[in-house]
Each structure stands twice: as C-alpha cells, then as structure tokens.
Amino acid sequence: MAKKLCLAALALVILSLFFPWHHVEIGSLKVTQGIFVGDETKPDAYLIILAPVFLAALLGGLLGLKRFGRGLGITVTIFSIIGGLLLFMIQDAMAEKGGSSSMGAYFGILAVFLTLAGGLIGTVKPEPKKA
C-alpha cells in the first residue's frame, strides 16, 4: 500500500511540473507563474521546493518495490514533512502578495499528503522481511 501511494505521489509531482502554480495580479498585469508554463517561469525556485517531495516519492516508489521497511518509512516521512513545509511556505508567501493557487500547486500539495501517508504506513506497519 505504501509503495503504491509513493508511486502515485511521484506521478503527481511530475504532473505538477506542467501546470501553472500561481496567478498573481499586479495592478492590471496578470502573471502566471509555473515551472514549465506561464508568463514568468522560475524553474529553479519551484524545483528546489519540490526536491524533498520528489526524493521522498522516488525513494518510496523505487526502493519500496523490493521491501518497504521501517527505515524507509521514516526517511520518506521526514522528507515529505520537509517538502510540505517548503511548499506551504511558498503558498503563504504567494497569498501575501495577493496571488491565488492553481492546479500545479494543488498537485504538489496532494503529492505531499500521499508521500506522508505512505511514509507513515511504512513506519507503523512495515513489510516483513522475506527469508
């Protein structure tokens, strides 16, 4: 179950790269910000924010295919919490500027929750070792 959640989160993180993240209105100018889409693209900042979530989903999805143990569950949980904090900090900063979230941000937030759920499931109920 945990590895399937992490694989779904990995797909959502990759999908969020191709959707706009924020819409900001500055006077009469409307600016759409995203990673690979939008009027003003800043891929470096958003990729840094998504890096911990991407790493958590990648670790949980690929290493978890063999065995999703307690150590991997704790690692995925820690990285998803760090990524979630970074993601919510950028959401708060954009809300202060008068911006509104868009589809890419919602996919990123959903990916955080899926990796967090996968990490917690892997921590609480790890897969048994195969003999």
Side-chain angles (χ1 to χ4, degrees):
M1 176 75 175
K3 57 186 152 195
K4 291 179 184 177
L5 288 174
C6 287
L7 284 173
L10 184 63
L12 282 174
V13 167
I14 292 172
L15 191 62
S16 75
L17 297 174
F18 299 100
F19 282 94
W21 275 66
H22 301 287
H23 300 289
V24 180
E25 291 185 25
I26 304 170
S28 63
L29 179 67
K30 292 182 181 180
V31 178
T32 301
Q33 294 178 335
I35 297 174
F36 294 134
V37 295
D39 305 326
E40 179 184 337
T41 56
K42 296 181 181 179
D44 300 339
Y46 290 108
L47 289 177
I48 290 171
I49 290 167
L50 281 177
V53 179
F54 181 74
L55 184 62
L58 192 66
L59 285 174
L62 296 182
L63 291 179
L65 287 177
K66 186 173 181 181
R67 179 179 173 266
F68 206 100
R70 185 165 281 133
L72 183 60
I74 291 171
T75 305
V76 167
T77 302
I78 289 171
F79 277 114
S80 65
I81 288 172
I82 292 170
L85 290 174
L86 287 173
L87 195 63
F88 288 128
M89 282 184 356
I90 193 77
Q91 292 292 331
D92 188 41
M94 291 307 290
E96 286 179 4
K97 290 184 179 180
S100 61
S101 298
S102 189
M103 198 63 144
Y106 295 136
F107 283 154
I109 292 169
L110 185 59
V112 166
F113 286 132
L114 286 178
T115 54
L116 184 61
L120 289 175
I121 289 171
T123 302
V124 172
K125 188 180 178 212
E127 292 181 4
K129 291 183 180 178
K130 296 176 184 174

